[in-house]
Amino acid sequence: MKLKKVICGLFLLFTTSIAQAHLLNMTNLHLDTTNPDAVTLRVKIDLGQSLLSPQDYWRTVNMGSREQWVNIEPAVNKLLDGLGIFVNGVAVAANLETWSLVATSLEAIENPLSPQMAELTFNLNNLGLESSTALANASIELRIAEWLEVPWPALLRIDSASRQLPVSRLLTSSDRSSRSVPLSADSAIAGSSFAAKLAMEFQGWIPGLSWVAIGFQHIIPWGLDHIVFVLGLFFLSTRLSTLFYQVSCFTVAHSLSLGLATLGMVSVPASIVEPLIAASIIFIAVDNLCSPVLSRWRFVVVTLFGLLHGLGFASALSELLLPAENFYTALLMFNLGVEAGQIAVLALAFAAVGWLRSWTAYTERVARPATVTIAGVGTYWLLKRVIF
Amino acid sequence: MGLIKHSEKLRISAGIATVASLLLAFDVAFSAMAPAHLAFPLDERAPGEFPDAWIHGSKSAMDNDDPAVQVHAYNEHTYILRENKAINYEGAFMYLFFGNEVAMLIDQGSTSSPALFPLREVVDEIIDGWEERNGQEDIELIVANSHLHGDHYAAWNQFVDRPNTVMVGLTHEEVMAFWGIDNYPQQIVNFNLGGRELVVTGTPGHQGSELAIYDGWTDLLYTGDMFYRGRLYLEDWDAWVASIRKLRSIADQNPVVHLVNNHIEMTAKSGVDYPVGTTWQPSEPPMQMTLEMLDQAVEASFEIEEPGIYTYDDFLIYNQVPWSYTTDP
Ligand SMILES: [Zn+2]
């Protein structure tokens, strides 16, 4: 190993590559909106390679701060002119608050491969918004004018109080706008399915409604086994009261176990719950076929199965993150969504075959074949969940 | 249950059995038709190959007619891409790893313009071909980065409007949240890329958000910009020392066949680099490195005490020296 001395002043080596070499000195823009009373934009820019000449920059670096300001003012104004900041589409003004100019030598500034980054902090005090909630719901866009050249690309980072993570946008010489970036929170469900995105939209104006939508989805379309179970209850008898009592027991029970499991008070592995749910479907269907009247112990069984299905919902729910701040509301809303989904299933069943219930052959031609099919589906799930 | 006749019981049982076996039969037939699930076992090493020489620029950028992006299949599920040195002297390498239903692009080169550097187009083409060969459709693309330097994400914007794409993001916080690292840089996490187990950990020193990735299927250890055949610009010496020793311990605990990375700046001559900004490197050494070279770096981590430029056979250490200084006038 030999130690080489640092050699200075060898900066004229680069011929063809200089024009493309502006990469290490790329521009950084940091828009911080976490404190609504002190929104700032921090710009890290290679001033000596962009808005000032290397010589001017080097002279300025070595001045006292008052003279520095005189020297950088035109460049700062040019930057402000070319840097458009828009809150809800309306341009807002920025004022330079502090600056720090860094450089090691004139040669270093002249060398495009050695970034000498100046840092300028602007405040955006007058956003034209009434309250901090207005800021949380605002969207913000940053644009660099066509005529303004900064060392590209420019990385924009936006921090906001209601987002856990910052947002990043890359601005390039041909793509000079960040486009509108909403400052509101992105939740754990963002970006998954279309339905979840729709739920997010709803959340904007009725908080909690998105959890209703998610609960609903856990019946239609994702909760096929729960749909089949509820249909099993539906096909027991043609009497509405029979159905009503069963569904009530089922609902109370699964709400209870969903709550307990989500709070962590009960925990049963899915490898046990899932086959048992399949078994419950078979049981209900076979019971329908063998004793077509509502016996008392049927209530007990339906309640037990309700507890079981609640555990199933809980394990599905555990894959989503319930918000810590309004946990109980979200849980309640999720459960309401499940009930709504259940009611929707029954309504559809009525629409499909309910009007046939007074037909004398209804039991023989509709209810029994349907129930046999339900038992078959349950058997298939049981085999699949136990064996495969 | 005694309410129904024996023959009725038989009929019901037969009905249930028929429905269940029909469904099972459909299920079996369907899963037989479904695309084969790719396996990425860790116990045997998936072989791969490097090109004899990478495309290494040209004397004049004007008459360079090499592709803007060189695409090399290391093996059927691992692609190494290189930006044409005539477009940007960095000649950065990029990686595309495939798993079931997912691909991950690590780094997006040094040029933003899609006209000069159509990375998106190239990546889409590779993915299309891969999907066709592997019977998978609409797989997800993860756009990630080895570290947060502009010469490795310039073409990031080409992917932001791509459907079915996860943009990891270009801030430290977004990157760590994506990988599930909440104790950077110490934490070592396992990342499941569609059945392909990656081991990911923080390796700062060159840049404060850098990650190293070990792929147990190919036994490749990817070291980004913190260890490659070239000028290792270290902004934080202590961090790099810890990182390079951690790579050594990862290599102790896992079989490693090659170390792969982001740039080639050395010449074929031991200890001699091409000057910064070179766009034609006629006698480039291979990009991949060996465990012996890693050992030499670990040794250096014990020897070096002060800022300065230190020359080794296969790399140079620029310990807290500004980027620009070159060793070869
Ligand atoms: Zn780098």
Side-chain angles (χ1 to χ4, degrees):
Chain A
M1 185 191 85
K2 53 188 193 284
L3 170 58
K4 286 197 183 172
K5 285 221 180 73
V6 173
I7 305 159
C8 303
L10 294 164
F11 304 110
L12 296 168
L13 284 164
F14 325 104
T15 48
T16 57
S17 62
I18 285 181
Q20 308 128 8
H22 290 253
L23 271 163
L24 303 168
N25 66 347
M26 51 173 294
T27 308
N28 273 284
L29 306 161
H30 181 186
L31 190 59
D32 189 349
T33 70
T34 41
N35 179 357
D37 298 322
V39 175
T40 60
L41 174 68
R42 236 183 359 259
V43 180
K44 267 191 179 172
I45 182 168
D46 192 345
L47 272 187
Q49 285 282 336
S50 55
L51 296 168
L52 291 173
S53 69
Q55 291 76 15
D56 279 345
Y57 185 64
W58 180 239
R59 259 191 315 120
T60 312
V61 169
N62 294 301
M63 288 174 173
S65 78
R66 193 165 308 167
E67 292 133 303
Q68 271 193 350
W69 169 241
V70 175
N71 263 29
I72 60 167
E73 194 185 2
V76 168
N77 287 338
K78 190 175 174 192
L79 185 68
L80 280 175
D81 274 352
L83 212 58
I85 306 159
F86 303 87
V87 175
N88 294 333
V90 181
V92 296
N95 304 295
L96 186 67
E97 206 156 65
T98 60
W99 66 89
S100 89
L101 310 179
V102 189
T104 48
S105 66
L106 178 58
E107 290 88 340
I109 300 167
E110 282 170 337
N111 178 4
L113 297 174
S114 95
Q116 309 286 311
M117 305 294 275
E119 192 171 317
L120 310 168
T121 305
F122 299 92
N123 68 54
L124 282 66
N125 284 343
N126 196 357
L127 296 176
L129 297 170
E130 273 123 55
S131 61
S132 52
T133 23
L135 178 65
N137 294 320
S139 52
I140 217 158
E141 181 190 350
L142 203 139
R143 239 184 274 157
I144 298 177
E146 286 298 327
W147 53 263
L148 180 65
E149 288 305 319
V150 297
W152 299 106
L155 175 59
L156 169 65
R157 169 196 173 116
I158 302 177
D159 282 288
S160 86
S162 48
R163 282 182 187 267
Q164 279 188 324
L165 293 173
V167 174
S168 34
R169 293 281 185 273
L170 201 61
L171 277 59
T172 68
S173 65
S174 59
D175 203 357
R176 289 164 173 262
S177 160
S178 70
R179 302 195 181 76
S180 190
V181 178
L183 295 180
S184 59
D186 47 347
S187 91
I189 54 164
S192 50
S193 68
F194 172 74
K197 277 195 183 128
L198 201 68
M200 281 288 297
E201 290 296 310
F202 274 120
Q203 198 176 32
W205 43 279
I206 305 179
L209 197 64
S210 65
W211 288 104
V212 177
I214 293 166
F216 190 88
Q217 286 180 330
H218 278 80
I219 298 290
I220 303 172
W222 301 334
L224 201 54
D225 46 1
H226 305 289
I227 294 177
V228 172
F229 184 84
V230 171
L231 288 177
L233 302 181
F234 173 82
F235 283 115
L236 171 63
S237 102
T238 53
R239 291 179 55 170
L240 268 181
S241 60
T242 310
L243 179 62
F244 176 78
Y245 291 132
Q246 292 185 90
V247 170
S248 304
C249 288
F250 181 63
T251 301
V252 169
H254 76 224
S255 305
L256 183 71
S257 64
L258 167 64
L260 291 178
T262 308
L263 291 170
M265 289 187 239
V266 187
S267 153
V268 187
S271 57
I272 295 173
V273 172
E274 291 300 313
L276 284 178
I277 288 177
S280 74
I281 293 168
I282 306 173
F283 191 98
I284 286 296
V286 171
D287 188 48
N288 285 357
L289 295 166
C290 298
S291 48
V293 283
L294 185 66
S295 59
R296 204 151 291 156
W297 61 270
R298 169 105 173 179
F299 285 124
V300 180
V301 171
V302 169
T303 305
L304 283 176
F305 288 164
L307 292 173
L308 200 62
H309 284 242
L311 295 177
F313 293 130
S315 78
L317 185 60
S318 69
E319 280 161 26
L320 303 166
L321 274 181
L322 278 179
E325 61 270 34
N326 29 38
F327 181 87
Y328 292 97
T329 318
L331 179 59
L332 181 72
M333 293 297 163
F334 176 84
N335 202 18
L336 282 178
V338 169
E339 305 321 333
Q342 205 169 282
I343 290 168
V345 169
L346 291 170
L348 286 171
F350 266 103
V353 296
W355 51 278
L356 284 171
R357 285 180 309 141
S358 50
W359 182 30
T360 43
Y362 170 80
T363 307
E364 205 44 48
R365 294 286 169 84
V366 180
R368 285 183 85 83
T371 309
V372 169
T373 307
I374 289 169
V377 171
T379 310
Y380 156 69
W381 275 328
L382 181 63
L383 289 171
K384 211 179 140 148
R385 288 171 188 185
V386 171
I387 301 165
F388 300 103
Chain B
M1 298 248 176
L3 293 170
I4 53 170
K5 283 182 283 183
H6 187 69
S7 62
E8 185 62 16
K9 272 187 197 166
L10 270 177
R11 260 183 57 199
I12 291 170
S13 311
I16 295 172
T18 310
V19 171
S21 38
L22 269 176
L23 284 171
L24 275 176
F26 269 117
D27 202 335
V28 170
F30 187 76
S31 52
M33 268 159 44
H37 188 81
L38 301 166
F40 298 95
L42 301 177
D43 44 359
E44 51 196 298
R45 174 173 297 165
E49 267 171 26
F50 293 99
D52 293 334
W54 292 93
I55 298 175
H56 46 258
S58 56
K59 270 186 181 159
S60 148
M62 300 298 265
D63 39 53
N64 186 298
D65 36 56
D66 294 327
V69 186
Q70 179 179 5
V71 176
H72 173 76
Y74 175 78
N75 63 28
E76 52 182 331
H77 306 307
T78 311
Y79 285 76
I80 307 177
L81 282 54
R82 188 185 201 188
E83 180 167 355
N84 189 324
K85 273 191 88 74
I87 296 175
N88 187 291
Y89 72 87
E90 294 282 2
F93 291 93
M94 296 150 281
Y95 293 77
L96 188 61
F97 291 108
F98 285 90
N100 285 291
E101 310 290 334
V102 64
M104 176 182 281
L105 174 67
I106 299 167
D107 287 357
Q108 301 82 42
S110 310
T111 306
S112 296
S113 159
L116 288 172
F117 181 59
L119 182 64
R120 157 87 181 268
E121 216 178 287
V122 170
V123 168
D124 281 350
E125 221 166 274
I126 300 172
I127 292 178
D128 285 347
W130 185 91
E131 285 180 334
E132 205 166 297
R133 282 189 302 279
N134 292 281
Q136 299 193 5
E137 260 176 72
D138 299 323
I139 66 165
E140 183 178 83
L141 175 66
I142 299 168
V143 176
N145 291 88
S146 60
H147 68 296
L148 300 178
H149 271 156
D151 55 332
H152 297 278
Y153 59 65
W156 191 80
N157 266 7
Q158 294 182 20
F159 296 88
V160 290
D161 62 347
R162 190 185 184 278
N164 215 359
T165 300
V166 174
M167 303 300 287
V168 170
L170 297 174
T171 61
H172 183 84
E173 292 88 334
E174 287 171 283
V175 171
M176 299 316 150
F178 172 82
W179 293 101
I181 295 176
D182 39 41
N183 180 21
Y184 182 90
Q186 290 83 5
Q187 198 178 353
I188 299 178
V189 296
N190 292 305
F191 186 86
N192 186 335
L193 184 73
R196 189 167 177 176
E197 276 294 333
L198 305 177
V199 177
V200 183
T201 191
T203 48
H206 166 76
Q207 194 270 334
S209 304
E210 182 141 22
L211 299 165
I213 300 173
Y214 171 71
D215 173 24
W217 180 61
T218 54
D219 294 348
L220 292 176
L221 177 58
Y222 171 65
T223 59
D225 260 21
M226 65 82 68
F227 189 57
Y228 64 93
R229 276 187 219 245
R231 296 173 287 274
L232 308 179
Y233 295 105
L234 310 181
E235 57 167 32
D236 183 339
W237 171 252
D238 293 335
W240 187 80
V241 167
S243 297
I244 201 80
R245 293 180 193 168
K246 182 160 62 172
L247 287 184
R248 182 63 255 186
S249 84
I250 287 177
D252 287 338
Q253 286 151 25
N254 301 278
V256 170
V257 57
H258 302 289
L259 285 85
V260 293
N261 48 63
N262 286 351
H263 302 279
I264 304 171
E265 290 163 359
M266 300 306 282
T267 63
K269 225 170 113 199
S270 148
V272 180
D273 60 337
Y274 286 104
V276 182
T278 304
T279 52
W280 187 48
Q281 301 190 160
S283 65
E284 263 184 2
M287 174 267 282
Q288 73 274 19
M289 297 173 83
T290 63
L291 285 171
E292 288 69 45
M293 296 173 192
L294 177 61
D295 284 335
Q296 200 167 43
V298 171
E299 217 171 282
S301 81
F302 287 101
E303 285 167 3
I304 296 173
E305 280 165 355
E306 274 166 40
I309 299 172
Y310 300 82
T311 305
Y312 292 84
D313 289 349
D314 304 288
F315 52 89
L316 309 176
I317 290 180
Y318 277 51
N319 181 17
Q320 296 159 82
V321 173
W323 299 85
S324 53
Y325 300 90
T326 178
T327 52
D328 289 75

